[in-house]
Amino acid sequence: MLKKNEALRLFWHLRAQVYLLLVLLSLLVFFGYQSVNLPAVMPSITKFEPDSFHYQAGIDQSIRLNWQLAHVEQIQSLALTSQTERGGLVSKPINFDLSQSLPLSLRLLCQHDPQTLVLTCKNVPTSARTAGRYRFKLLLNLTR
């Protein structure tokens, strides 16, 4: 038969193992839940700038833009808008459908890196052609 001290020591030893097992199980459930419910990485515009900040008046050339997009696989389409300094639209937005693949109008201007999921576009023409100050916006339409 076990003595009273040995029985008590055995009881506390088993109880400590049960607590340790509960803590480990709780941590496993917590981190398992966190890994399943991680928020999706959202696409972002990491770079958006004009090709040049100075254009010569009288030369019929459009202002060209450079941009870089991260996680482009989640972008369904892009809309590029050009506004005057006072907020008036220069023309209707230029839309680029990315749902199937890179559109023909961007294939020569953009490079897609499938490993980093980054789309880099250079010298994309806009509808702004006359001298003045402009505000450009690139709107991302995301897939669901």
Side-chain angles (χ1 to χ4, degrees):
M1 275 199 140
L2 292 174
K3 295 182 182 178
K4 187 176 180 181
N5 274 349
E6 290 176 357
L8 192 58
R9 195 175 314 145
L10 181 62
F11 172 75
W12 282 111
H13 182 68
L14 289 175
R15 191 171 176 186
Q17 288 179 344
V18 168
Y19 281 133
L20 181 62
L21 184 62
L22 284 174
V23 167
L24 291 175
L25 185 61
S26 298
L27 288 173
L28 181 66
V29 168
F30 175 76
F31 287 115
Y33 177 78
Q34 292 297 323
S35 66
V36 170
N37 291 313
L38 287 175
V41 179
M42 295 296 292
S44 61
I45 301 171
T46 57
K47 181 172 136 184
F48 185 66
E49 62 191 13
D51 181 53
S52 173
F53 287 94
H54 303 286
Y55 288 87
Q56 292 181 351
I59 297 177
D60 189 25
Q61 64 179 5
S62 65
I63 296 173
R64 296 176 176 271
L65 299 175
N66 301 329
W67 65 68
Q68 193 170 48
L69 307 174
H71 300 286
V72 73
E73 79 283 359
Q74 298 177 39
I75 301 172
Q76 184 172 354
S77 64
L78 303 172
L80 177 63
T81 61
S82 306
Q83 295 178 330
T84 63
E85 187 175 25
R86 295 183 177 166
L89 286 177
V90 174
S91 68
K92 62 182 182 178
I94 302 170
N95 294 303
F96 303 103
D97 182 13
L98 303 179
S99 61
Q100 302 298 320
S101 65
L102 204 56
L104 290 174
S105 58
L106 291 178
R107 286 196 185 156
L108 295 176
L109 305 171
C110 300
Q111 290 184 337
H112 178 251
D113 185 345
Q115 290 181 336
T116 61
L117 303 174
V118 171
L119 179 69
T120 304
C121 298
K122 295 183 178 183
N123 297 318
V124 179
T126 67
S127 52
R129 286 186 166 68
T130 59
R133 299 182 82 133
Y134 296 96
R135 183 175 298 129
F136 300 98
K137 292 182 183 177
L138 187 62
L139 305 171
L140 310 180
N141 183 19
L142 306 180
T143 58
R144 295 182 182 168

